[in-house]
Amino acid sequence: MKTLIILEEISMFLFSILIFSSLEYAWWWFPALLLVPDFSMIGYTMGNKTGAAVYNLVHHKGVAITLLAAGFFLRNDGVILAGAILFGHSSLDRAFGYGLKYNTGFAFTHLGNIARNHAD
């Protein structure tokens, strides 16, 4: 089952590349912006609860899909780009085992404990 979920997340990541390729941006924008959502970890400087809330908001696929839909509706490539980056980043994170965070600390995610998952 774990392999199936990883393949599903990789498929969604590839879909974000497909969405990006429909835009008029140079190809290098995608990899250049792909790690920008991780700046949301700065929220952890204000504690676990705030950190988890900020991180989860930025890494929530529903937010990404809302941005994509708004961008297509408004015909705004910048908003589509933001949605594609958030969607692709979140999918890639989950493929590597990094999930949405619990309030107990950065390592505790809906996919399990990061430290324990990557110690194998």
Side-chain angles (χ1 to χ4, degrees):
M1 184 59 123
K2 184 177 179 180
T3 302
L4 185 61
I5 291 171
I6 291 170
L7 290 173
E8 181 181 39
E9 294 297 342
I10 290 171
S11 297
M12 286 188 266
F13 174 70
L14 294 174
F15 181 66
S16 73
I17 294 173
L18 179 67
I19 293 168
F20 174 80
S21 70
S22 73
L23 302 173
E24 296 294 326
Y25 292 96
W27 68 268
W28 57 267
W29 278 105
F30 191 82
L33 295 174
L34 196 58
L35 295 179
V36 169
D38 278 338
F39 282 108
S40 64
M41 287 186 269
I42 292 171
Y44 278 95
T45 62
M46 298 188 309
N48 287 338
K49 188 174 181 180
T50 302
V54 172
Y55 184 92
N56 291 342
L57 178 67
V58 173
H59 287 78
H60 196 287
K61 288 185 184 177
V63 172
I65 291 168
T66 300
L67 281 172
L68 284 167
F72 281 113
F73 179 76
L74 298 171
R75 291 181 168 78
N76 184 317
D77 284 355
V79 177
I80 296 170
L81 174 65
I85 293 296
L86 289 179
F87 190 76
H89 176 90
S90 298
S91 298
L92 199 56
D93 265 7
R94 287 179 180 76
F96 287 123
Y98 300 102
L100 297 174
K101 309 301 182 196
Y102 290 116
N103 292 340
T104 51
F106 184 80
F108 303 98
T109 78
H110 83 286
L111 298 176
N113 185 324
I114 293 172
R116 185 177 63 228
N117 288 348
H118 295 289
D120 299 331

